[in-house]
Amino acid sequence: MPMISLSPIARSGLAALLVAATLAGCSPDKLAGNNQLPPDVPDPAQTETPAGAIAAYHSAIVALRTAFGSDAQSFIPVTGLLTDELRSGDVGWLTGASDAMLVDSRFMPEDPGIGDDHITLFPVRTVYGLLQKTRGQTRQARGALLAYAPDSSHALVGHLDAIEGYTDVLLADLFCSGVPLSTLDFGGDFTYQPGSSTEEVYEHAAALFDSALALSADSVNVMNLARVGKGRALLALGQYAEAAQAVADVPDDFRYALEFSAATSPGTTSNDLNRSFVFEDYGTSGGGMPVTMVDREGGNGLPYLASGDPRSAWVSGPGNQGLALVRPVAYPLDGSGAIVLASGVEARLIQAEAQLQASDVASWLATLNRLRTDGTYDTQRNPQDTTQTDTLWHAGTGGVAGLQPLADPGTPDARVDLLFQERGYWLFLTGHRQGDLRRLVRDYGRNPEGVYPTGPYPGAFNTYGTDVTAPIPGAERVSNPLFTGCRSRGA
Amino acid sequence: MSRLVVRICLLLCGSVVTLSAQNTAKETPTIAHKGVAAAETPLDRRVTLNLQGVQLLTAVREIDRQAGLHLNFSERVLPAEARITIVVDSISARAALAKVLKGTGVVLRESAAGDLMLVRGTREAVGDRTAEEVRDATTVGGVIVRVVDTLLSNPILGAVIGVKETKLTAATNDQGYALLRGVPSGLREITVRFLGYAPAERQIVVPDTGYVRVNFALHMGMTRLQEVVTTATGPRRRYELGNDITVLDVDSIMATQPISSVTDLLEGRVPGLTVQHTSGAPGDPSRLRLRGASSVLRGNDPIVIVDGIRVYAAQSDSTSANVASSQFGGFFHDGNSVGAIAAPSPLDQLDPNSIETIEVMKGPSAATLYGPDAANGVIVITTKRGKAGPARWSVTASHGTSYMPGQYPVGIYRLGQNSNGDLALCPLTDFRCHADSVVRFQALNDDQYTVLGHGQNTNMSLGVSGGSTALTYALTGSHADETGILQLPDVEAERFATLHGGAAPPDWMRRPQQLTRWSGTSQLMAKLGAKADASVTTTLTRERQQRSTLEQQIATLMGTYIDPTTETYYRTSGTFLSQVDELLPDFYQRATDEATNFTNAANVTWRPLSWLTTNADGGINVIGRDDEVLLPRGMKLSVDTSGLLNTGHAGSVVSTVNLRATATAPLPLGFHLQIATGANYSKTSLSSLTTGVSDLAPGTSSVNGAGKIELATQSASDVTSFGWYLEPSFTHRRFTISTGLRLDGSSSFGSNVHLPAFPKLGTSWLISEEPFFPFKNIFDVFRIRAAYGRAGVWPGPADQLRLYTTSRPWLGGSFQDGLDVSSIGNTQLRPERSSELEGGFDADMFGDRLSIELSGYRKMRYDAILSVPVAPSVYGYGVNMLRNIGVIRNTGLELSVTTQLVRTDLVTWSTNFNLTRNHNEVMALGAGVQPFGANDNRVVAGYPLFGRWARPILAYTDVNHNGVIERSEVQLGDTLVYMGASEPNYEANLFSTFSFLRGALTATVGFAYQDGLTQVNRTIGGLGQSIFSPGLSDPSSSFGEQAAVAVMDETSYGLLQTVNTLRLNSISVAFNAPPSLARRLGTQALSLALQGTNVGLWTNYAGKDPNVNAFSTGNAVMDTGVLPMPRSWQLSVRATY
């Protein structure tokens, strides 16, 4: 084959042609096959449907359920520890107390946000994260409903508003002033927010309840949930008359319960997603945060055990490391059942408080007594658990066994005490006690050491601490540039 | 002048210069004879001499005359100045010659035809020529040259032989021989040049007829600027490149040093490379970091290319772990830091015996054209090529033993009684405990209880290469078998037997750590006419690694106290001491990893025109892994008798297609233009599938019949990239400027992710060749160079997207669909961009005895992608967002010094020293990004990536004067302070080789030094066993030690230590049999070596060994203090036929 001889210029030209040929039509992205998701990554487009939006809505409800009472370190057990409802079942160890003991003993230092959030106690971190996830999920679900199921979403969106409102209330009840209400932005990324004061959080909640009321006209259940929620938020803001007005239309027998089940979800081996926290985990050292009922904790607590009050009925059994476990009968062994989030009973209690604030003592007492004498509990709602009673009050079926009509104690302070005692029993272990104790300090001028457990604390610490709120975890300060810490650790 | 040359040659070269008559010559030892004893030969004739102070030449001529020897020799052979006195009476001519020639280096040789000649030198045979050469030499006349290398005496193929002042040239064949015909008679200067070796030249006298033989022993060069290296655009001369490339000649390394893996080859020999070991278990992978870490999310592993195609070789991604192991909670070295055990690295599945060269490009300045993910460097591996000629066989076999050197830290037990009267640990701060003694104990140091024994390793390799000019081949097969040092103590084996009806534990429980590897490589290269050739490389490796939970028991034993009188076992947990029945709670779980690694690479080169070369590579690399974790039914009687089984399959498939064309054209003013253009396509598919079952059917170890399915997980990803490039280079004789541009696409999913074009620029100036260069008497070669390049790293395929996870919660009386956010995505995510500027010089000095390479670099990573925690106020805990966090910079210096201070025939001493200094710094974080990360792995602007941070102990005082520091007496700072970097700042390596007697005996030592690594010493506080901290229970401990213990739960301050280490990494003593002995034993070359690795460690580190990083995936580094690299010794035999 004869050699082809080209001049240098011709060679350069040919080289340029080679380059041009390479470039021609070569869009690297197209040749690489862009826009292909890994096979194991669920295509988000598949969720951008009405069914996907509904599924997101379901998850918002589940998120609230988990934050409220499903996880072993959810709102109810954590606030139960901080208040007089529950005690830690730990014995600690030689060099210190367990995290549950620290919450129980009101010793919760704020993490300065310098590392990996190692100071914030684990139960505090957990409940904070669960509540904030609920907020994020409601926003995600709301966006999905409006985008993909706009025709059937009003009540559902209203329901989500109510759920978010309740989440705000729970955050404001437990945590210090300065809760950041950042947002997960549907269709975008997220937006950080600085810490909001306790008052601002309650106001935010009230606004969400108003939105829920506006959107949920076709759902009585959601309407009443929003009414009670709004009443609770306004009560926390000291707006008693407005609170009473908000719940006025809630019927006595209304109840919004978060239902739990011991069932295992398909395709999984765990029922943690479905069940409530189980006191019996206390007995298995490692199954969760060990907690037990307690009588007159710290001297200021209510006599939940000794009173024999049916509203705090209990059973005892063997516990961890030789300690006794005292379990409320309302919480079954297997984590099934329901925990009431809002009810007609709470609505009446709100009205009663407003009546007391209005110095209408007679109405106040009548309202309290009507709950005791004109309603009842079911018993044995689970035939397989003979110790279990229903936590759900039913109106108009006769008096609750064991409860007698109350008498006016005669003084304003004693009336307040009686009111909050009644709330303490009626709403026992439903996540209200912490908010009530803070209100006693904040709105009724009580000394924190007069309402929260105080005095000697058995275990590694000799005495109870002074905290009445939980700190915002240090992880918030680590990552949220707008958050600078608690504004106040007071009530 | 010629006298001077001869004298220098006598001192340094020791070469053989032979003047001959007409026939073939045969070497005889010293003054030799043909071995004809029956008949008298001229050499047996008697001579009588009485010579006083005469020239040596005179004496020789007198012996020649008396005996009638007709000696053939050149007067130049004999030292002209030498004068001798000899008085002998009637001795043989042979003896007389021996006397007069003693100490001159001149020997007597006798040809096959009986001709006698005097030659200089003593060793080289002349009988290795081919029959053709002999025939040619005897009929035409000329010069026969043989070239070997000084270190190994191996023949050198392809050395170019020339005769000065003529145009005669020839190249050596695979036996090292070359024949020059028609060389004009008289004094001639022969020159020898070969890439990678110092050139040599010698004067000889060429006879009018017949031939002359000359042997050259070349010394390996040092800077090797003439070397041809592989680049993305094809082979280039090193001196044309602006960037530094480290080239490893694998054969020369393996001949003298203990090497069992590619990682072994690289460690210590590549300036800028940091090797992080995960553990000392056989086959455990190591992570490679070139010029520091600069990425988190996309990893810092360099890419690996074998014979032109990409192979999967990630050392720190999720598949680096045994995919079946993480599902049971994992195997834990220390209970809380390691989620899964490691699996062998794919890089180490390449057989080092099959490799010819490894070239390492360290950053974008060198690797821009390799594609978007070459920012972390490129390792280019070229397998062995066959050489035309008869089959040449090579055999290597080694056998060795390994063990854990030194002692493990001793626990300090302050013992007493608790309130129940039981034996208890009594910390100094526990005033309720009644302490009565302080004992020091470590079960791992006790032969009766330790799980550490001796391991064994056996390696064998067989290779053959050869072929014709049309087709060459190289085949290599290897087998490696290693048993780790872990062994079940007899006391536990007996307990097992008792619990299992007398049945002994299976072998895998007794010796759980096993690694077996089979590997085969074939390389075929064919010439397709005069203008094209093609090659095909196929490698297949089958590997099996096994280990068990016995490994976990090292940590258990570390915290076990054994009462010497009652032999009762006590185990510590924190500050508790509990009596336990068994010495080892768990050795019943086995993990295996079986991998098959197949690579097929094809290359075709076509040169259609003299100025145009085209090339195409295509190939595939397939790795299939079958992993398993098995707890057999009934094995673990104490807790779970039903059995557990996890099986996992992980696979990777990498496909590569490269097309390239290179055109050259002369330009005015002596410039030369080379334009290379090409395109690369690669697709990497990863997948894994894991299932787990429990309640195994009796008698089975499979999922069949299992009572319960525990889990099933699957993952997969496909990443495709395509890019094209253009690289014009302008070369002058001594000056090269090379530019380039690359544009890439990738299969990342999402909106608006586009990589910019990546440019490169490099320049090299061989300044010592310039007429004005003033230091030519010092510098043989001096080159300055500089290079700049950019590269990019794509986000992951779904990194921009908000992704969801589905669930089926029970809600409202039935199961409903749930949809939660699993990844919030980032709509603004951009690709990472990396750039690097490097510069430096290469210098050869003092006759190639000193070589220096110095490089400085500045490597920037912009828009580094990191998984940044999102504040929980957005969506709770555990949410991370991939963000472009800012700028990370690595700056450093790399110095390489090679010396050959002694270079004689008898002794050669060569030393290679390299020093690396790297400074890593996060220059800035992205807008709104706060410092983040765990304290031991933290990202803070102004400090190194993954730095160590801790709350400091500000003060401690014994306020209550009770003689003990308690928690309340320690003031702990609220602000984290920087403690140090997680990678060393300085690394230095030194390899020194002594070669004696022309390479008959070689000794090599390798040292490695590191400084600046701040290690987390979990031996002190991370094992749940504070007993190693004196401050816990040693009454003589300082207040400072007690303070560290008091706050151990709150800060790792007391666990961090900035360490320096000097390690005697390797030592080898090899005996290389002289050719005559080797031939007598039926080989061409034969060597025997004793080799050791990890032979010594000197460090300020308080733990066992700071270079143990338990994490098998990700970038975290931490010393679990459990199983560092063992020490090993092996005996190795190498032979070629």
Side-chain angles (χ1 to χ4, degrees), chain A residues 29 34 40 114 137 265 476, chain B residues 716 748 754 808 873 875 974 976:
Chain A
D29 282 343
N34 204 2
D40 62 329
I114 57 174
Q137 184 62 30
S265 289
E476 191 68 42
Chain B
S748 286
H754 293 293
R808 290 280 288 165
S873 59
Y875 197 76
D974 282 338
L976 290 175

Side-chain angles (χ1 to χ4, degrees), chain A residues 91-112:
Chain A
V91 294
W93 49 83
L94 279 176
T95 55
S98 70
D99 281 8
M101 293 171 71
L102 292 171
V103 174
D104 195 25
S105 61
R106 301 170 55 205
F107 189 83
M108 297 177 285
E110 184 178 6
D111 191 309

Side-chain angles (χ1 to χ4, degrees), chain B residues 1018-1040:
Chain B
R1018 293 183 64 84
T1019 308
I1020 296 176
L1023 301 172
Q1025 298 157 0
S1026 317
I1027 52 172
F1028 300 107
S1029 300
L1032 180 73
S1033 56
D1034 185 351
S1036 64
S1037 60
S1038 67
F1039 280 178

Side-chain angles (χ1 to χ4, degrees), chain B residues 487-753:
Chain B
Q487 63 179 19
L488 188 67
D490 289 342
V491 61
E492 284 299 275
E494 291 164 7
R495 185 173 69 86
F496 180 93
T498 302
L499 292 172
H500 294 82
D507 287 346
W508 66 262
M509 281 190 190
R510 299 298 301 261
R511 300 304 300 259
Q513 291 182 329
Q514 303 284 340
L515 178 72
T516 306
R517 183 184 297 138
W518 290 93
S519 181
T521 304
S522 73
Q523 209 277 347
L524 300 174
M525 180 174 285
K527 285 200 176 299
L528 309 176
K531 297 181 179 177
D533 47 51
S535 67
V536 177
T537 305
T538 304
T539 69
L540 178 65
T541 299
R542 178 72 173 162
E543 181 179 69
R544 182 180 190 275
Q545 185 199 44
Q546 173 188 286
R547 46 215 302 196
S548 83
T549 38
L550 186 61
E551 201 166 315
Q552 193 177 344
Q553 304 313 308
I554 299 175
T556 302
L557 273 185
M558 286 182 79
T560 298
Y561 172 68
I562 302 171
D563 188 316
T565 55
T566 62
E567 295 197 350
T568 308
Y569 307 138
Y570 296 90
R571 191 159 300 136
T572 56
S573 175
T575 55
F576 287 108
L577 193 69
S578 315
Q579 183 179 337
V580 292
D581 295 331
E582 73 285 354
L583 178 65
L584 305 175
D586 187 1
F587 50 85
Y588 314 100
Q589 206 173 152
R590 182 185 71 183
T592 53
D593 171 276
E594 294 186 354
T596 303
N597 191 328
F598 172 79
T599 303
N600 193 269
N603 173 278
V604 177
T605 301
W606 180 39
R607 297 170 292 274
L609 302 168
S610 61
W611 49 272
L612 179 65
T613 301
T614 61
N615 183 282
D617 302 317
I620 191 167
N621 168 244
V622 182
I623 301 176
R625 289 227 328 255
D626 291 302
D627 295 354
E628 179 187 281
V629 173
L630 172 67
L631 172 59
R633 185 185 180 96
M635 283 293 185
K636 187 179 179 183
L637 291 181
S638 58
V639 180
D640 183 357
T641 63
S642 65
L644 297 165
L645 174 66
N646 259 25
T647 58
H649 176 78
S652 66
V653 179
V654 184
S655 310
T656 305
V657 176
N658 300 322
L659 299 173
R660 184 173 67 239
T662 304
T664 59
L667 295 177
L669 303 176
F671 277 92
H672 208 73
L673 170 65
Q674 175 175 302
I675 297 180
T677 184
N680 309 121
Y681 169 89
S682 72
K683 179 179 181 181
T684 302
S685 301
L686 303 176
S687 64
S688 70
L689 175 64
T690 304
T691 60
V693 298
S694 61
D695 195 10
L696 303 181
T700 68
S701 298
S702 78
V703 299
N704 295 332
K708 186 179 181 183
I709 297 174
E710 298 283 354
L711 59 93
T713 61
Q714 185 174 12
S715 70
S717 70
D718 285 325
V719 176
T720 305
S721 67
F722 174 82
W724 59 261
Y725 58 81
L726 176 68
E727 184 191 46
S729 300
F730 301 89
T731 306
H732 202 261
R733 275 191 306 147
R734 296 176 286 272
F735 182 78
T736 300
I737 183 166
S738 175
T739 63
L741 185 72
R742 183 180 173 98
L743 190 65
D744 283 288
S746 179
S747 59
S748 286
F749 186 94
S751 58
N752 302 319
V753 177

Side-chain angles (χ1 to χ4, degrees), chain A residues 6 14 19 23 28-29 34 40 58-59 65 94 114 117 132-133 137 140 182 189 192 265 274 473 476 478, chain B residues 432 611 715-716 722 724 726 745 748 754 802 804 808 810 817 819-820 827 871-873 875 877 930 974 976:
Chain A
L6 295 176
L14 189 56
V19 173
L23 306 186
D29 282 343
N34 204 2
D40 62 329
H58 290 154
S59 282
R65 185 174 74 184
L94 279 176
I114 57 174
D117 202 9
Q132 291 285 20
K133 182 196 169 179
Q137 184 62 30
Q140 177 68 25
S182 304
D189 295 324
Y192 280 135
S265 289
N274 303 319
E476 191 68 42
V478 167
Chain B
R432 293 170 297 182
W611 49 272
S715 70
F722 174 82
W724 59 261
L726 176 68
S748 286
H754 293 293
R802 180 165 295 176
Y804 305 95
R808 290 280 288 165
W810 184 92
D817 288 330
L819 190 70
D820 291 75
T827 58
S873 59
Y875 197 76
Y877 270 91
Q930 302 297 303
D974 282 338
L976 290 175

